[in-house]
């Protein structure tokens, strides 16, 4: 692997593929430098179903893959033969969607004769911040909040040591945003719509419950399904009374409840363990209120906060390339091309 590091005197050039859900992402990084991040999304094809339809997503990945790779190479100003190593999301995610990315990455790796690293999607959401803000301090606490996951992770080494400290016991944070948006008829995906609408509402208008914050509750786990039900009951009561629904106030108050619990528990994890750096990643990290509240609370607790730009928080190929680059730089072995992508992959299994 050492020759990958030294060839041309510059860091290795990595091509990364992401297809775990509905975005076909292809990213190119050189070491810690982001060169391209091209995305083709099938989100519009799922909107009328109110959620991602796995077979539709797989088909869309198949159609988008080659053109997205070509756009990324053009954006980076490199050719396929300049690539030193490849990386691909090996899991977790939708089985069929992952399969398309894994098959494509294997085919490109074989065609150019370069090593392929199958990586964990969740670890990649954390690693992407390296191309935004430089090397991750060790240890860093990570709050990973997406459509499928909500976890507090202690990252002692992004290539080899991630320890889950807490996770949702029911809905993921993004899933709660999507379900509440559906209830409020705001379309899919719901997070961005609630984020926008909440700016016009009063976040203190309705006191929605903060899940798992009682004295006997698991201190670092999350629960959002009770909150979702509370919003549904509140809206139903208004409807029964024949009163108008103050949609912006509901959106703002719901968002406040989610963000309050996410930041409170994550900062608690940092202070209890003496971790001075916090990184937030995953689609929900694009949320403007989460970013603002996390910054306020980190400032108060003396914690340095890192959150990548919104386009690097939602699923993308750059995050996969960024993690691949770290594995290559550590001289770790690539994956056997016989690997199978897997829909279930615990976060501490950083590579396959
Ligand atoms: O990380 P991601 O792109 O895909 C998964 O791995 O799940 O996250 C998608 C999730 C969706 O649930 C979406 O509603 C949510 O991230 N999301 C947001 C925002 N932008 C995306 N949630 C709250 N506020 C946002 N601005
Ligand atoms: Zn994701």
């Amino acid at each position: 692997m050492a020759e990958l590091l030294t060839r041309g005197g510059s860091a290795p050039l990595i091509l990364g593929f992401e297809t775990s859900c509905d975005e076909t992402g292809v990213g190119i990084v050189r070491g810690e430098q982001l060169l391209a991040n091209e995305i083709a999304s099938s989100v519009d094809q799922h909107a009328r179903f109110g959620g991602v339809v796995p077979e539709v997503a797989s088909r869309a990945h198949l159609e988008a893959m080659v053109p997205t790779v070509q756009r990324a190479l053009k954006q980076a100003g490199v050719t396929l033969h300049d690539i030193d190593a490849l990386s691909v999301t090996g899991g977790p995610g939708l089985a069929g969607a992952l399969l398309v990315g894994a098959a494509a990455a294997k085919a490109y790796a074989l065609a150019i004769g370069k090593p392929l690293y199958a990586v964990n999607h969740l670890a990649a959401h954390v690693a992407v911040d390296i191309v935004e803000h430089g090397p991750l301090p060790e240890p860093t606490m990570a709050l990973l909040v997406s459509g499928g996951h909500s976890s507090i992770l202690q990252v002692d080494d992004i290539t080899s040591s991630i320890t889950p400290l807490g996770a949702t016991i029911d809905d993921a944070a993004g899933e709660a945003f999507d379900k509440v948006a559906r209830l409020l008829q705001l379309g899919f995906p719901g997070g961005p719509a609630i984020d926008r609408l909440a700016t016009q509402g009063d976040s203190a208008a309705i006191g929605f419950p903060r899940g798992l914050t009682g004295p006997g509750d698991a201190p670092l786990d999350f629960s959002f399904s009770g909150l979702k039900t509370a919003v549904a009951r509140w809206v139903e009561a208004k409807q029964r009374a024949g009163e108008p629904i103050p949609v912006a106030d509901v959106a703002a108050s719901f968002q406040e409840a989610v963000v309050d619990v996410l930041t409170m528990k994550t900062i608690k994890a940092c202070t209890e363990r003496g971790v001075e750096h916090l990184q937030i990643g995953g689609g929900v990290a694009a949320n403007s209120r989460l970013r603002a509240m996390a910054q306020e609370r980190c400032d108060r607790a003396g914690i340095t906060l890192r959150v990548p730009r919104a386009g690097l928080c939602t699923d993308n190929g750059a995050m996969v390339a960024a993690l691949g680059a770290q594995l290559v730089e550590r001289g770790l072995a690539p994956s056997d091309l016989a690997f199978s992508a897997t829909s279930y992959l615990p976060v501490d299994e950083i590579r396959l």
Side-chain angles (χ1 to χ4, degrees), residues 121 125 146-148 174-175 177-178 189-192 195 282-284 286-287 313-315:
H121 178 83
H125 267 304
S146 71
E175 194 179 351
F177 271 93
D178 293 336
D195 194 353
V284 181
N287 184 268
C313 290
T314 45
D315 288 349

Side-chain angles (χ1 to χ4, degrees), residues 22-23 41-51 56 188-189:
D22 58 342
E23 328 279 359
S41 177
S42 61
V43 68
D44 294 345
Q45 296 179 48
H46 308 290
R48 69 191 170 100
F49 301 105
V56 173
F188 175 83

